[in-house]
Amino acid sequence: MNDFPFSAIVGQPQLKTALLLCAVDKSLGGVLIRGDKGSAKSTAARALTAVLPPVARIAGCAFNCAPDAPCAICAVCNDPSAPPAQASEAPFVTLPLGATEDRVLGTLDLERALQGAQRAFQPGLLAAAHRGILYIDEVNLLADHLVDVLLDAAAMGVNSVQREGLSLSHPARFTLIGTMNPEEGDLRPQLLDRFGLMVEVGAPTDKTQRAEVVRRRMAFEADPGAFAHAWQAQQDGLRLQLQTAQQLLPKVSLSDALLDLIGQICCEFEVASLRADIVMHKAARALAALDSRLAATPDDVRAAAELALPHRRRRKPFEQPGLDKDKLDNLMQEACGEPPQPPSPSSPDGQEPSPGCGEQASPTEDEKDRQSQQAQQRLFSAAAAPAAPRISIDNLNAQGIAGRRNDVADASRGRMLRAVPDEHPDSLAVGATLRSAALRHVAQNGAQAPAALTVGKADLHRQVKAGKRASLILFIVDASASMAAQRRMEAVKGAVLSLLTDAYQRRDEVAVIAFGGADAALLLAPTRSVERAEQGLRDLPTGGRTPLPHALQLALDTVLQAGAECAPLLVLLSDGKANVPLIAGGDAWRESLALAEQLAATGAAALVLDTESGYLRLGRAAQLAQALGAECLGLEQLGADNLAVTVRGRI
């Protein structure tokens, strides 16, 4: 292997500690590594294998069985004439994002089945990763049907296969290591909780460290063998440290007082999962074993909390994982009998509050002149409108929109429902094909048919799968002066944030278009990373004219680019008062109606929320909704929560 040596990684002490802890105690559940691209996430994960103590394994075993506890279906380990077990490198298996369920779980061994073997099984990646590491790069992009498979195996430590006429199971206990870039979206909560530890990483901010990273990387790329040889002594020392820690771990104790402290910390941080307490207990003991100690200390508990709790504590929508370290320090000081530190007098962002906070400074003469020459832009925070009676809207799912929780028939990926005859299958149903060939073979040659079996074109069957299709919820938000002048943008922002929360929980894709001034802007391209949408919406100033045609043209382009992979739902928040045409001298309102009809022709579902208020109303939002083939609802009596209920009825 030509992986970068683990000992040569510069900095990243918390990341290296988390990986080593999982090597000491394989029952911790693995590590999730979050960070920006280019921050050595994959390098560290791949480098761990070289320092892991070897495992005993019989040559030829496809299930990585422990020699003293072989798998019941392993023909190699259960053979009395099998060779003795030998020390071999711990398995390191990469699960590609595009893998199929058959490749992950295992499937019928076609070659052996054609030779007449009974219950011939070809093990998959879960079998190969047993007693080792299963690594997933960009785990947050893993398809949902593969996430379901991983959840079952990670929970039970057993891979059960029920397909193609097979019914069997084998051990699949592995250390799960995943890397992800938060900009690409978050993980499903169920899979997130399966990772025992989580680490946030970033590129070094110290110029000396950055220079050393480049220096070592260049030396490694120039001559990997010589570079690895130069670090061999450190690698051997680390491997010996891990081996000693594994042997010492069963003897390490953790006092009842520290166990109570673990429970108190989890309660104070409002951690719902009891798995957090268990992981903290194991991690604290593993830290002590790694340091060659027989008893865990409060410092071990604190270090374990920083690794086990950030991704498990209760978070508000769009809030990033993390821990309040000041609060954790105070809890530790109270447990040790020390007085807690007083809170910092600074403001939440770490800056001292400025005098006269809350008072609006008087504008200068120059500022007054600028304000008189152009429409003033104002920035409103997101706030829910006053409470209003909830409304109940019938489901308008006439377009057959399928969210991630709904099945899509005859999908290209997903779980198999049935097999149908097809002479040109794009996804071969192996079991059904072989059964058809066997029946035809017996019918042609009788009961005493020879063992040789041939498969013809007429025997081929295609898999019919049930998959998932995401909904694309495209928010088109009016940020013009007609909205800002009456401070209605606060309620609108609160409504959109509530809808974004719902989209995030349903794992739908979200896009946000805002229009105001002279043009429209795509604040967020279709993605599951709604944190950036929330941030962009909070910082969105309002004011200026209403370029509604620009926004509808941008929405049309976005829907067409998404293609058939997503079912679009447009949520337009506007009063319809368009006054900036696409073409100079054109009619902005007629352009808006024409573009609305083009959007309706794509089959996209839509909902128009009329933000017009006052006694004199033009009713243009209703006309726009008619062109879109959508319903128009008024914002006059609706708060943010009610808007969320309204849109949920259409997904």
Side-chain angles (χ1 to χ4, degrees):
M1 294 181 65
N2 290 326
D3 290 329
F4 194 86
F6 190 88
S7 303
I9 296 175
V10 179
Q12 308 290 11
Q14 194 175 48
L15 170 59
K16 291 190 285 189
T17 298
L19 292 172
L20 293 177
L21 290 181
C22 288
V24 173
D25 188 348
K26 297 181 180 179
S27 67
L28 273 173
V31 184
L32 175 64
I33 309 171
R34 288 169 45 105
D36 296 332
K37 50 187 176 293
S39 52
K41 303 186 299 294
S42 300
T43 298
R46 297 181 184 280
L48 178 64
T49 310
V51 296
L52 291 177
V55 297
R57 178 175 174 272
I58 296 178
C61 173
F63 296 91
N64 286 315
C65 301
D68 55 346
C71 174
I73 61 174
C74 181
V76 174
C77 295
N78 289 298
D79 186 354
S81 61
Q86 298 179 348
S88 59
E89 192 175 74
F92 184 93
V93 177
T94 299
L95 196 160
L97 295 180
T100 63
E101 285 187 32
D102 290 346
R103 185 69 187 97
V104 176
L105 294 173
T107 186
L108 185 69
D109 191 326
L110 181 59
E111 182 178 356
R112 294 177 59 194
L114 290 175
Q115 295 174 356
Q118 299 297 320
R119 297 184 62 186
F121 177 67
Q122 181 178 3
L125 296 178
L126 295 183
H130 180 50
R131 302 170 65 211
I133 293 174
L134 182 64
Y135 172 67
I136 311 173
D137 195 15
E138 304 295 348
V139 63
N140 51 324
L141 302 181
L142 193 65
D144 281 352
H145 66 283
L146 295 183
V147 172
D148 296 337
V149 167
L150 281 180
L151 287 174
D152 291 340
M156 306 301 297
V158 174
N159 176 34
S160 298
V161 181
Q162 304 287 338
R163 57 176 57 202
E164 308 290 0
L166 297 171
S167 178
L168 49 88
S169 62
H170 63 82
R173 298 182 180 89
F174 47 81
T175 298
L176 185 61
I177 298 180
T179 62
M180 61 173 285
N181 185 345
E183 293 180 354
E184 298 292 341
D186 213 336
L187 276 176
R188 282 172 53 180
Q190 297 91 337
L191 182 58
L192 185 63
D193 191 49
R194 287 295 170 188
F195 285 97
L197 311 175
M198 192 200 78
V199 180
E200 290 275 358
V201 299
T205 56
D206 179 70
K207 64 178 183 180
T208 304
Q209 276 196 347
R210 295 179 75 99
E212 183 61 23
V213 169
V214 175
R215 189 177 295 112
R216 293 186 185 182
R217 187 68 196 185
M218 293 300 99
F220 173 73
E221 292 182 0
D223 191 343
F227 187 82
H229 180 75
W231 287 89
Q232 191 60 49
Q234 291 87 335
Q235 293 282 93
D236 293 340
L238 190 54
R239 186 182 299 105
L240 180 60
Q241 181 184 2
L242 287 176
Q243 193 168 7
T244 303
Q246 288 178 348
Q247 298 171 354
L248 188 63
L249 182 63
K251 304 175 184 178
V252 176
S253 63
L254 188 142
S255 66
D256 288 341
L258 291 182
L259 185 57
D260 292 340
L261 175 59
I262 290 174
Q264 180 186 358
I265 292 174
C266 291
C267 290
E268 289 291 337
F269 282 99
E270 300 181 351
V271 178
S273 173
L274 284 172
R275 190 173 287 109
D277 306 61
I278 298 173
V279 170
M280 282 183 63
H281 186 282
K282 292 182 177 181
R285 294 178 60 242
L287 280 165
L290 196 61
D291 200 27
S292 300
R293 290 182 280 107
L294 291 175
T297 65
D299 289 338
D300 295 328
V301 172
R302 189 193 189 287
E306 291 185 352
L307 295 172
L309 298 187
H311 59 303
R312 291 192 170 93
R313 67 177 182 83
R314 292 187 183 274
R315 291 183 284 155
K316 297 179 181 179
F318 315 113
E319 185 181 358
Q320 292 293 330
L323 279 184
D324 185 343
K325 294 189 177 181
D326 290 337
K327 181 178 180 180
L328 181 59
D329 288 337
N330 287 338
L331 289 173
M332 298 302 301
Q333 290 168 359
E334 290 176 5
C336 297
E338 301 176 6
Q341 294 292 331
S344 172
S346 61
S347 58
D349 59 1
Q351 298 179 353
E352 294 294 332
S354 58
C357 183
E359 300 179 1
Q360 189 171 4
S362 300
T364 64
E365 292 299 325
D366 292 340
E367 290 174 344
K368 290 181 179 179
D369 292 339
R370 286 195 300 269
Q371 291 172 4
S372 63
Q373 293 173 5
Q374 61 181 17
Q376 180 184 7
Q377 287 192 339
R378 307 173 68 182
L379 182 62
F380 298 109
S381 61
R390 286 186 176 272
I391 61 174
S392 177
I393 302 295
D394 293 335
N395 195 319
L396 300 182
N397 192 13
Q399 303 294 332
I401 295 177
R404 286 191 176 272
R405 296 182 182 178
N406 300 319
D407 289 336
V408 177
D410 205 7
S412 59
R413 301 174 67 181
R415 68 181 187 277
M416 178 178 170
L417 293 179
R418 61 186 181 276
V420 297
D422 190 339
E423 293 187 356
H424 303 282
D426 54 359
S427 179
L428 182 66
V430 179
T433 298
L434 291 179
R435 283 191 292 270
S436 175
L439 291 174
R440 178 183 53 79
H441 187 67
V442 172
Q444 292 177 353
N445 299 282
Q448 303 299 323
L453 182 68
T454 59
V455 177
K457 182 176 291 187
D459 299 319
L460 299 180
H461 282 63
R462 173 175 60 88
Q463 294 181 353
V464 177
K465 300 178 181 179
K468 305 282 186 179
R469 186 166 65 140
S471 296
L472 170 59
I473 305 177
L474 178 56
F475 297 104
I476 310 171
V477 184
D478 189 344
S480 63
S482 60
M483 293 281 288
Q486 302 165 39
R487 296 184 63 87
R488 295 188 57 80
M489 201 59 183
E490 291 185 4
V492 172
K493 283 186 177 183
V496 175
L497 292 182
S498 180
L499 297 174
L500 284 171
T501 304
D502 187 67
Y504 167 75
Q505 293 170 347
R506 292 176 180 268
R507 311 299 290 167
D508 293 318
E509 289 193 334
V510 179
V512 178
I513 293 175
F515 59 101
D519 204 351
L522 184 63
L523 293 184
L524 183 75
T527 181
R528 296 191 325 195
S529 178
V530 292
E531 289 88 351
R532 290 186 294 160
E534 184 268 349
Q535 186 62 39
L537 199 61
R538 287 188 184 276
D539 296 337
L540 173 65
T542 59
R545 306 177 70 189
T546 310
L548 179 58
H550 296 260
L552 295 177
Q553 180 64 60
L554 188 55
L556 179 61
D557 295 340
T558 304
V559 169
L560 293 177
Q561 288 176 5
E565 294 299 323
C566 294
L569 171 64
L570 309 180
V571 182
L572 174 62
L573 296 97
S574 176
D575 54 14
K577 297 176 182 178
N579 52 29
V580 181
L582 282 171
I583 303 174
D587 189 326
W589 174 240
R590 292 185 181 276
E591 290 177 349
S592 299
L593 291 177
L595 287 167
E597 293 175 355
Q598 293 182 45
L599 280 167
T602 65
L607 173 66
V608 177
L609 302 177
D610 186 4
T611 60
E612 189 175 26
S613 61
Y615 293 103
L616 183 61
R617 303 190 182 188
L618 300 178
R620 290 196 167 181
Q623 298 178 46
L624 198 62
Q626 185 177 5
L628 283 168
E631 185 179 0
C632 181
L633 300 176
L635 280 178
E636 194 67 25
Q637 301 296 326
L638 298 180
D641 292 338
N642 305 101
L643 289 178
V645 172
T646 300
V647 175
R648 283 173 193 146
R650 286 149 177 79
I651 301 177

